[in-house]
Amino acid sequence: MPANLTHQYHKAEQAYRQASTPEEELQCLEEMLRELPKHKGTDRLQAELKQKISKARKDVQSQKSSKKGHSVRIPRQGAGRVVLLGAPNAGKSQFLAQVTRAQPEVAPYPFTTREPQAGMMPYEDVLIQLIDTPPVTADVMESYMQGLIRGADLVLALIDMGADDGLSLFQAVLERLHNTKTRLGIETCFSDNDIGLSFTRTYAVWNKIDLPDAALRSELFAEEWQEEFRQFRISALTGEGCDELVRAIFEALDVVRVYTKLPQAKEPDFTKPFTVRRGGTLADVAALVHKDMARQLRFAKVWGTAVHDGTTVKGDYVLHDRDIVELHV
């Protein structure tokens, strides 16, 4: 029997993916259970959700009672969130410094990065949040890393082409994650068979192509490489290949930019567009403007490629890139 999951359930499931704390995970899981249709086709999902809720409650209680608990909460900002992942010395911090104004410590020795550090990467008129993370090895991975990876819109897996063991070190990262229910994937999705198993869209980034032996290693690595991630070759130090990667990151987020205009103003504000996922509606933008705006919204006038200038629309109007909207409450 098909599960026939509702829009509200999928919305709660997406929020669960983006949860960054045990408390947020628990709230989302409880919402998923409330929205889950109750029939024989969902008996297994109900049981798995209840198990996850039980575990989440224990995690929340454990975090509250343990002074040693280490959690990380980085507010989401910009058009999307991209997490940098890799083995020691893969060049994550160097890439963050290259494409943002962040100033992480960059050094030629392992475990320079000990805490996640965020930076905002510009692309045209939007900003994208990048998060540098501590390195992952076969034996070491911070407990909060699974939440960061699961909550990311995209993961950049950096691979060190400056070392003979660069590929094997990255394979150890994959194997370490394979022992969890947070995996790297070609696309972002949840498993149909295991509600706890998630995949986050990942690009493989071969770094340090400026080094003398990088070309030879590239050929050797290509022979061994078995994954199907989309691949990029860059030098985080010199910037070579970074422009192409930055553009691909923006395209992967699949957002549309929306500019707002006050009723009495002649021109819209082109400096800071709101961004929503493609397929997002006018009500989604209204909620970004102010939490009460979506509830009070009566109509809007829109200027864009899909309508005549100044067309009046309702909250369910599907937005297009570079639409200009004038909200009326």
Side-chain angles (χ1 to χ4, degrees):
M1 181 182 295
N4 295 324
L5 301 178
T6 65
H7 171 73
Q8 291 80 4
Y9 176 89
H10 287 299
K11 187 175 181 179
E13 186 180 51
Q14 180 62 31
Y16 171 66
R17 165 176 289 281
Q18 296 181 343
S20 57
T21 66
E23 290 89 347
E24 292 176 357
E25 289 185 359
L26 178 58
Q27 291 174 3
C28 295
L29 287 167
E30 290 174 338
E31 179 68 16
M32 290 165 67
L33 183 60
R34 284 195 295 270
E35 296 296 340
L36 184 69
K38 307 301 191 293
H39 51 69
K40 290 185 178 180
T42 64
D43 283 349
R44 181 179 175 183
L45 284 178
Q46 290 182 57
E48 290 180 343
L49 273 174
K50 289 175 181 178
Q51 289 177 359
K52 295 282 288 182
I53 288 172
S54 177
K55 181 180 181 301
R57 285 174 177 164
K58 291 179 181 177
D59 290 342
V60 170
Q61 188 59 39
S62 176
Q63 189 178 71
K64 288 180 179 179
S65 61
S66 174
K67 294 182 180 179
K68 296 181 180 180
H70 187 192
S71 63
V72 170
R73 183 170 185 175
I74 301 175
R76 292 179 67 92
Q77 293 180 294
R81 169 175 285 190
V82 179
V83 166
L84 310 182
L85 178 70
N89 282 350
K92 304 183 304 299
S93 298
Q94 185 75 68
F95 179 72
L96 184 72
Q98 176 67 238
V99 299
T100 76
R101 293 182 179 180
Q103 296 180 333
E105 182 180 357
V106 179
Y109 49 81
F111 294 95
T112 306
T113 301
R114 298 184 179 276
E115 297 287 341
Q117 180 169 348
M120 301 304 293
M121 180 183 75
Y123 179 81
E124 294 183 352
D125 54 357
V126 300
L127 294 173
I128 299 167
Q129 185 183 57
L130 266 59
I131 300 178
D132 185 16
T133 63
V136 176
T137 70
D139 302 315
V140 178
M141 185 174 73
E142 298 291 347
S143 59
Y144 53 75
M145 286 293 293
Q146 292 185 61
L148 285 177
I149 293 169
R150 190 182 65 240
D153 298 301
L154 178 70
V155 169
L156 298 186
L158 275 76
I159 306 165
D160 184 2
M161 295 181 64
D164 290 336
D165 60 352
L167 182 58
S168 61
L169 289 174
F170 176 65
Q171 294 286 6
V173 175
L174 292 177
E175 291 171 9
R176 182 69 179 82
L177 287 170
H178 241 349
N179 293 326
T180 74
K181 289 193 174 184
T182 301
R183 313 278 175 84
L184 307 183
I186 301 172
E187 297 293 341
T188 295
C189 62
F190 285 99
S191 169
D192 292 333
N193 300 317
D194 185 345
I195 198 169
L197 179 59
S198 70
F199 298 85
T200 301
R201 186 177 189 177
T202 300
Y203 288 165
V205 181
W206 304 83
N207 188 26
K208 305 183 184 181
I209 61 172
D210 55 300
L211 296 181
D213 295 330
L216 177 59
R217 290 194 183 96
S218 177
E219 294 178 4
L220 295 174
F221 289 177
E223 293 177 2
E224 299 179 51
W225 184 249
Q226 301 296 323
E227 302 298 331
E228 298 181 4
F229 305 135
R230 186 177 176 184
Q231 300 175 40
F232 296 85
R233 285 170 169 75
I234 70 164
S235 168
L237 178 63
T238 67
E240 183 179 354
C242 288
D243 287 346
E244 178 187 356
L245 177 56
V246 169
R247 181 172 62 253
I249 290 170
F250 174 76
E251 292 172 352
L253 297 178
D254 200 26
V255 296
V256 298
R257 291 161 285 190
V258 181
Y259 307 96
T260 55
K261 174 184 174 298
L262 294 174
Q264 65 271 24
K266 292 184 178 181
E267 296 293 332
D269 180 4
F270 285 114
T271 60
K272 294 181 180 180
F274 291 93
T275 56
V276 296
R277 288 290 180 88
R278 193 173 302 278
T281 66
L282 183 66
D284 294 327
V285 168
L288 292 175
V289 174
H290 192 277
K291 61 181 180 180
D292 294 328
M293 178 67 78
R295 178 173 55 83
Q296 299 174 354
L297 181 68
R298 294 190 295 118
F299 66 91
K301 292 183 178 180
V302 177
W303 290 257
T305 57
V307 295
H308 295 294
D309 287 351
T311 297
T312 298
V313 298
K314 296 294 186 180
D316 60 354
Y317 169 76
V318 177
L319 296 158
H320 298 76
D321 192 34
R322 300 185 185 278
D323 272 355
I324 298 169
V325 301
E326 182 182 281
L327 303 172
H328 292 260
V329 296

